[in-house]
Each structure stands twice: as C-alpha cells, then as structure tokens.
C-alpha cells in the first residue's frame, strides 16, 4: 500500500478519496431511504465498518505521502496570506449556501427536514432526495479526509477519530435543529468558528484531551437543551 501511495499521481489519489466518500454516503442513503433503517444506526455502522476496513487495507500501519511533494505543496499554499485549507473550507461553505438557499434542491431539503410526509404529499420524491443528500454528505467527508491528509501528510485508520463529535457540536451551536426543519450554512460556519476558538482556548490552557472531550459533551447537551427551550414556544404559537 505504501508503494501504491508513492507511485500514484496525487490528483488520482484525491479523486479516489472523494469517490470513496461519496460511495460510502450513497450506501448510507440506500440503507436509510430504501431500507428504512434509523439514520443514526446506519451512519454508526458505516463509521465502524469503514474504520475496520481501513485498518485491514493499511494493515494497521500509517501510510506516508511524503513522496507526493506536489500534493503537500498545494495543500500548504498561502493565497493572499490565507491558508489553502481555509480557502477550501470557504469554497465548500459558499457552494453549500448557494445550494441550500438558491436552488430547488435546497428548498426540497428544508421541506423534507421539516416534515417528510408533507414533502412527500407535495410531490417530492423523498427517498431519492435523501439518497442524494447522503451521497453529498459522503463527498464532503471525502473532502475533509483530503484536507486532513494534506495537513498531516499521513494516512491512518484513526485519522478523524471523534471528529463526528466536533461536527455535531458545531452544527448544534450554529443553530441547526437536530429534529430537522431549521438550519443554515452561515450558522454552521459560525458554529465551527466558535467551537474551534473554544478548542484553541482549551489547548492554550493546557487542558488534557479528556477534559476537552468532557467540555465538548457538556456544550452539546447545553446547546440541545437551549434549542428545545426556544423551539417550544414557537411550536405552541403556531
């Protein structure tokens, strides 16, 4: 596997990573939309299975991409004094905002999140749309994997471990309802910035990773409780 990583052109490597992410999301979408499996259980099963498959393929070793100098150079570029990874994040965020707020696809997504049955009665093919959403989510996961690889220059089955906790926290802090029906890309971006700032504060104060995990868990619970507190009056008034 190490020889394959060294001999493969970095563009091919990136395309394969994105394709694998999209394929994993597609499988999730099929199981959830057409198999009627609870989304949490399906994605959890994919997380465990994919991590195990990564361990098998890598033989529990860390694979270096040090030979891919062009890839490393590209991922560490500074454009106008801003790191390339931040540019990628901004591009994905802008595209996500346009997709959610300026397209029929986005309006259908919000409708399904708010009331799936009402969306179905309105003529939306809910199952197919959910399939597309999970494929898109998998593609974004693939992009995140490439970004991690560009920063660490190494691939391992434990890369991104517990990042799902950070993702959930950022989305919740950004105002997205876990029950669906409300959420914005702008809020999520702000949630990411807030959560990353807190993480930097934890690190600067020499807090251990265990303490950081506890703090993140508390933040998620508090954010969910606040969501329920402020969402309840809105439901009664309607």
């Amino acid at each position: 596997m190490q020889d394959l990583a060294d001999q493969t052109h970095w563009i091919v490597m990136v395309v394969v990573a994105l394709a694998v992410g999209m394929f994993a999301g597609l499988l999730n979408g099929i199981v959830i939309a057409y198999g009627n499996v609870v989304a949490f259980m399906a994605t959890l099963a994919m997380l465990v299975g994919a991590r195990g498959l990564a361990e098998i393929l890598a033989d529990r070793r860390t694979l270096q991409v040090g030979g891919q100098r062009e890839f490393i150079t590209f991922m560490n570029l500074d454009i106008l004094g801003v790191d390339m990874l931040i540019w990628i994040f901004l591009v994905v965020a802008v595209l996500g905002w346009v997709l959610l707020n300026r397209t029929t696809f986005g309006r259908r997504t919000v409708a399904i999140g708010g009331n799936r049955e009402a969306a179905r009665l309105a003529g939306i093919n809910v199952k197919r749309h959910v399939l597309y959403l999970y494929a898109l989510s998998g593609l974004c996961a693939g992009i995140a994997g490439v970004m991690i690889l560009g920063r660490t220059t190494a691939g391992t089955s434990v890369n991104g471990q517990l990042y799902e906790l950070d993702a959930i926290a950022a989305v919740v802090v950004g105002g997205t309802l876990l029950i669906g029906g409300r959420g914005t890309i702008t809020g999520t971006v702000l949630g990411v910035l807030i959560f990353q700032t807190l993480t930097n504060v934890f690190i600067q104060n020499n807090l251990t990773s265990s303490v950081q995990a506890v703090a993140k868990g508390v933040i998620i619970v508090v954010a969910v409780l606040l969501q329920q507190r402020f969402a309840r009056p809105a439901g009664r008034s309607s």
Side-chain angles (χ1 to χ4, degrees):
M1 290 296 293
Q2 183 64 65
D3 292 338
L4 183 62
D6 292 335
Q7 296 171 6
T8 303
H9 194 280
W10 70 273
I11 294 180
V12 176
M13 182 174 64
V14 169
V15 171
V16 170
L18 300 182
V20 169
M22 181 177 286
F23 179 72
L26 190 65
L27 287 181
N28 273 336
I30 292 173
V31 171
I32 294 167
Y34 295 95
N36 296 320
V37 176
V38 177
F40 175 78
M41 295 306 300
T43 51
L44 181 62
M46 176 60 71
L47 169 66
V48 175
R51 195 177 296 280
L53 180 60
E55 290 182 355
I56 293 173
L57 292 176
D59 195 22
R60 294 179 176 271
R61 294 183 300 170
T62 298
L63 303 180
Q64 303 291 331
V65 292
Q68 301 287 352
R69 299 309 308 173
E70 294 181 358
F71 172 72
I72 296 173
T73 300
F74 176 80
M75 296 301 290
N76 287 275
L77 283 176
D78 282 343
I79 301 177
L80 301 177
V82 179
D83 192 88
M84 175 58 73
L85 296 183
I86 297 178
W87 282 112
I88 295 174
F89 169 72
L90 291 176
V91 169
V92 173
V94 170
L95 290 177
W97 183 89
V98 172
L99 183 65
L100 188 63
N101 295 278
R102 293 292 184 266
T103 66
T104 302
F105 184 90
R107 288 190 290 271
R108 289 176 176 175
T109 300
V110 175
I112 293 172
N115 191 317
R116 179 173 295 199
E117 182 61 20
R120 186 187 68 81
L121 294 175
I124 300 175
N125 190 328
V126 174
K127 290 185 177 181
R128 185 175 63 187
H129 194 89
V130 169
L131 180 66
Y132 292 159
L133 286 173
Y134 277 96
L136 183 60
S137 176
L139 175 62
C140 291
I143 295 174
V146 171
M147 293 171 69
I148 294 174
L149 185 62
R151 177 61 70 193
T152 63
T153 70
T156 172
S157 60
V158 297
N159 269 356
Q161 194 166 17
L162 294 181
Y163 275 23
E164 62 276 10
L165 181 64
D166 292 352
I168 294 171
V171 169
V172 171
V173 170
T176 298
L177 289 178
L178 294 182
I179 60 176
R182 191 182 76 188
T184 65
I185 298 297
T186 303
T188 299
V189 170
L190 291 176
V192 170
L193 295 178
I194 292 171
F195 209 72
Q196 190 56 48
T197 300
L198 290 175
T199 300
N200 290 339
V201 171
F202 294 155
I203 294 174
Q204 291 174 2
N205 286 274
N206 297 320
L207 296 181
T208 65
S209 58
S210 300
V211 175
Q212 292 182 40
V214 172
K216 291 175 182 179
V218 171
I219 290 172
I220 293 175
V221 172
V222 171
V224 172
L225 290 175
L226 289 175
Q227 281 188 357
Q228 293 177 345
R229 173 66 181 84
F230 290 111
R232 203 172 293 133
R236 289 174 180 173
S237 63
S238 61

